[in-house]
Amino acid sequence: MILTLEYRNCCFAARLYGQEVKCLAYADDLLLLGQSPVDLQDNINSICGVAALAGLRFKPSKCASLSFNYTGNKRSIDDASFLVAGTRIRNIKGQEAYKYLGVRVGLSYKQDNTEFFQGITRDVKLVAASPLAPWQKLTAIRAHVLSRAEFLCRNSHIQKRDVADLDKTLISTGKRILNLPTRANVNLVHLSTNKGGAALPHFRALLDVHAISHVFRLLASDDQLTSDVAFAGLRGVVRKKILRDPTPSECAEFLNGNKAGDFARESGDLSTLWSRARQAADRLFKFIKFSWTFNEELGCFNLNIYRSPNPVCVVPSTAGLVARLLRDDMESFYIKQLSSLVDQGKTVEVFSQHPASNHFLQAGDITRFCDWNFIHRARLGCLQLNATMRFSKRNPKCRKCGYVRETIPHVLNHCKPHSDAWKRRHDAIQNRVARAISSSVGSVSINKKFPGIAQTLIPDMVLTKKSGEVFVIDFTVAFEDRLSSFAKARQGKIDKYLPIVEHLRREGKVAHVDAIVVGSLGSWDPSNDAALAQRGVSKKYAKLMWKLICSDTIRWSRDIYIQHLTDKKQY
């Protein structure tokens, strides 16, 4: 059908930056152009004829036309009507708009998305007030409400003020669903579920990400016409800025937000896609380090994203990854910013390391409602304890043992009245791993003593493989106090049981020592994966066991906390 128009000599072609455009096509949508009403009707008839030969038929109710004259720098809409398959179609007038590819467009239509985002905000509140489970609410908001808003953000120009109320609503809703107090840091709401957050986006930042992504995809388009028109449009904007023909490298500097030299002057021009991308880059530079460059050899624009530890250079063939990479870097910034907080940021570096630590956020698997209400507050240090309550004049001492400060690490890991619960929590992890090791791998001994070794050295588990290889394994539940806490806990166990390994090696055996470290707030140490694989635990079951162990640990820690407050045993 498109070729029919291309080969029609009489077919009108609009000239856009020196490029002829006879029609636009996307999927099953066509946009036809005509120099006059008669010319456009001829094009419509030609297309309908070709479609009929292929057994296709256009639906007039979904079609629309726009007919206008442009004389003396003035546009005027006329009342010309057009027929599609013999049926009159709608003619767009004045301030009217037509929804094309999900976005409302029109000749004099002024984009105003206030009402749309007010509807999105209202829907978020309705879902939050529904009787769904907390994790179901988050899934419903993301999948059925915010997906509509993100589509519009990707394909239309949205004002920041349009999404201001939505951002506030998402933050308050996210905190309420996660059972967080108002003083809790908002970054946890924006983190993805794999990182321990609610995955509710910050739309003001998301608009900037999509602005950069949209511009890059235009310049890197596989369609030569699209990329040529985009580059010509960019050159035209930069030309007005520096008052001369720019080089491609200067166009890249413009997109980077360069304000030195020729770029320092105000162009005084209207807002364009390119100027908005320039402003978006300027705002995002506060969170993400990236830069536009022009590859002279290949004749294309690249986007360098300076990620740590491995920088990424996005080339035209991977243009679809721009938004994802920028959003990932935004998430890394949120984690870094949250971890810099003395009171609320101790644990985020740890529980965001492995998806097993946050498996319950997607579907609430193996998680009680009371555990859900406990874990997010605990991870941000917002539990009601004597030493953690803000603006409280309470004595910070522990109500159970009299320790100088009643903090979350103290209650969950150091308050001795809870030693029985600690042991049960520890044994729950140990028993799951012991059951996961098949008898075909070897024999497992629990709390085995070694003759000739100090009686205080009793490892939790000893695996003797059929090959004679011996693995000494100990389990520990450490509090997630920065990344170093797990490394210290693991090394401490290895150093403690190293004499046993040396004793076995002197006897001519091949022996190893390792530890399984789990956070008291349900964080899984990534180093555990290799340790389990060496012990013969299958990958398939290991993925389930991670979740079971993390959920067990959260359950026990919650019960310890409640017992600490109420003196009522929870197990």
Side-chain angles (χ1 to χ4, degrees):
M1 288 185 283
I2 297 174
L3 291 176
T4 301
L5 295 179
E6 294 290 341
Y7 290 113
R8 285 191 69 207
N9 294 328
C10 60
C11 181
F12 168 73
R15 297 194 66 82
L16 192 59
Y17 294 107
Q19 303 288 334
E20 288 191 353
V21 181
K22 295 185 177 181
C23 75
L24 298 176
Y26 182 83
D28 60 344
D29 289 308
L30 288 175
L31 190 151
L32 307 182
L33 303 175
Q35 193 169 14
S36 66
V38 175
D39 185 28
L40 182 58
Q41 185 63 62
D42 288 342
N43 290 342
I44 294 173
N45 294 339
S46 298
I47 287 288
C48 289
V50 175
L53 293 175
L56 302 175
R57 187 168 60 88
F58 293 105
K59 196 170 184 178
S61 60
K62 288 189 175 182
C63 301
S65 65
L66 174 63
S67 180
F68 65 94
N69 297 310
Y70 190 81
T71 54
N73 293 328
K74 186 177 180 181
R75 293 177 298 188
S76 59
I77 297 177
D78 59 43
D79 296 328
S81 59
F82 300 91
L83 302 177
V84 173
T87 304
R88 190 183 304 276
I89 61 175
R90 173 190 169 200
N91 186 32
I92 302 173
K93 300 179 181 179
Q95 296 293 327
E96 293 180 349
Y98 175 74
K99 198 170 186 179
Y100 179 65
L101 299 180
V103 179
R104 300 184 69 81
V105 293
L107 184 65
S108 302
Y109 177 72
K110 185 178 180 181
Q111 289 277 357
D112 184 3
N113 298 292
T114 305
E115 186 176 346
F116 173 81
F117 283 101
Q118 285 176 348
I120 294 292
T121 303
R122 184 170 57 252
D123 290 346
V124 169
K125 292 178 179 178
L126 289 173
V127 174
S130 69
L132 295 172
W135 48 86
Q136 292 174 330
K137 291 179 181 180
L138 291 177
T139 301
I141 289 172
R142 291 192 301 263
H144 302 292
V145 181
L146 298 185
S147 57
R148 290 183 281 139
E150 286 207 38
F151 177 84
L152 195 64
C153 291
R154 283 195 301 269
N155 298 285
S156 182
H157 171 46
I158 308 296
Q159 299 285 344
K160 293 292 183 77
R161 62 174 177 268
D162 293 340
V163 298
D165 287 340
L166 176 59
D167 276 338
K168 292 178 182 177
T169 301
L170 288 176
I171 290 171
S172 60
T173 299
K175 286 184 177 181
R176 190 161 55 252
I177 293 175
L178 296 178
N179 193 37
L180 293 173
T182 54
R183 72 180 180 92
N185 189 274
V186 301
N187 287 7
L188 192 68
V189 174
H190 301 317
L191 293 183
S192 66
T193 53
N194 280 341
K195 301 295 184 181
L200 300 180
H202 183 214
F203 271 89
R204 289 174 67 86
L206 193 61
L207 290 175
D208 291 335
V209 169
H210 284 311
I212 301 294
S213 174
H214 185 53
V215 164
F216 189 83
R217 284 186 288 115
L218 283 175
L219 293 171
S221 175
D222 291 335
D223 181 60
Q224 192 64 42
L225 175 63
T226 301
S227 59
D228 288 347
V229 169
F231 184 47
L234 173 59
R235 283 173 58 89
V237 171
V238 179
R239 186 182 298 112
K240 289 183 180 180
K241 184 74 172 177
I242 64 177
L243 301 180
R244 56 181 171 80
D245 288 335
T247 64
S249 295
E250 287 175 327
C251 291
E253 285 302 309
F254 173 83
L255 293 174
N256 283 329
N258 191 338
K259 296 181 176 65
D262 292 339
F263 294 100
R265 65 176 298 276
E266 290 292 335
S267 61
D269 200 7
L270 297 174
S271 172
T272 65
L273 174 68
W274 313 105
S275 63
R276 291 195 294 270
R278 171 182 168 89
Q279 293 163 3
D282 194 39
R283 287 187 291 266
L284 286 178
F285 285 156
K286 300 173 185 176
F287 319 114
I288 309 171
K289 301 302 179 186
F290 67 94
S291 67
W292 291 85
T293 58
F294 186 80
N295 189 319
E296 299 285 352
E297 184 178 345
L298 299 178
C300 64
F301 285 91
N302 294 338
L303 191 66
N304 297 315
I305 304 176
Y306 304 107
R307 314 179 79 185
S308 178
N310 301 314
V312 176
C313 178
V314 185
V315 296
S317 60
T318 57
L321 298 177
V322 171
R324 186 195 305 175
L325 291 171
L326 292 178
R327 292 182 74 164
D328 286 349
D329 269 27
M330 282 292 296
E331 185 171 64
S332 298
F333 170 79
Y334 290 143
I335 293 174
K336 183 178 179 181
Q337 189 181 54
L338 180 55
S339 65
S340 67
L341 301 179
V342 176
D343 56 342
Q344 297 186 28
K346 291 182 179 181
T347 64
V348 64
E349 289 180 322
V350 186
F351 70 73
S352 62
Q353 288 291 302
H354 199 286
S357 309
N358 312 294
H359 71 92
F360 52 88
L361 280 161
Q362 283 282 5
D365 293 339
I366 330 167
T367 303
R368 304 176 300 181
F369 285 103
C370 58
D371 297 336
W372 176 279
N373 291 332
F374 161 80
I375 189 59
H376 307 294
R377 279 179 175 256
R379 286 178 170 180
L380 285 189
C382 297
L383 294 179
Q384 299 296 301
L385 295 173
N386 290 340
T388 59
M389 294 179 66
R390 299 184 74 186
F391 312 116
S392 173
K393 296 182 180 180
R394 286 189 180 188
N395 187 336
K397 287 187 177 181
C398 177
R399 69 194 75 190
K400 290 291 185 182
C401 66
Y403 182 71
V404 64
R405 285 180 60 80
E406 186 185 65
T407 60
I408 300 171
H410 170 73
V411 172
L412 299 184
N413 290 71
H414 304 291
C415 190
K416 290 186 178 179
H418 304 304
S419 57
D420 180 51
W422 299 343
K423 185 178 184 305
R424 291 170 182 262
R425 181 177 63 187
H426 168 277
D427 290 348
I429 300 170
Q430 174 184 280
N431 294 337
R432 287 203 181 276
V433 175
R435 288 195 295 267
I437 300 175
S438 172
S439 58
S440 61
V441 176
S443 60
V444 175
S445 301
I446 303 297
N447 299 328
K448 181 179 179 180
K449 295 182 180 180
F450 288 85
I453 300 294
Q455 294 301 303
T456 55
L457 291 181
I458 306 175
D460 292 328
M461 181 185 297
V462 177
L463 169 63
T464 305
K465 288 192 172 183
K466 291 186 175 181
S467 61
E469 196 173 7
V470 180
F471 290 90
V472 177
I473 311 162
D474 206 66
F475 299 85
T476 183
V477 179
F479 187 78
E480 298 95 324
D481 190 358
R482 311 293 178 184
L483 281 174
S484 59
S485 60
F486 276 13
K488 288 179 181 178
R490 180 178 298 278
Q491 192 59 47
K493 290 295 183 180
I494 292 174
D495 292 342
K496 180 179 179 180
Y497 294 103
L498 193 58
I500 294 178
V501 174
E502 292 174 346
H503 172 74
L504 293 172
R505 287 172 180 171
R506 284 194 296 269
E507 293 181 349
K509 297 180 180 179
V510 179
H512 310 275
V513 60
D514 208 340
I516 301 295
V517 183
V518 182
S520 51
L521 295 178
S523 299
W524 182 260
D525 186 356
S527 300
N528 293 340
D529 297 347
L532 291 176
Q534 289 180 341
R535 277 64 174 175
V537 179
S538 68
K539 289 184 179 180
K540 183 177 181 180
Y541 183 72
K543 291 181 179 180
L544 173 61
M545 190 173 66
W546 298 339
K547 300 177 182 180
L548 293 170
I549 289 176
C550 291
S551 291
D552 283 347
T553 307
I554 292 172
R555 177 172 62 85
W556 277 108
S557 294
R558 181 264 173 193
D559 290 348
I560 291 171
Y561 169 71
I562 296 299
Q563 182 179 345
H564 185 86
L565 294 184
T566 64
D567 283 329
K568 293 181 180 179
K569 201 170 184 179
Q570 303 293 307
Y571 50 90

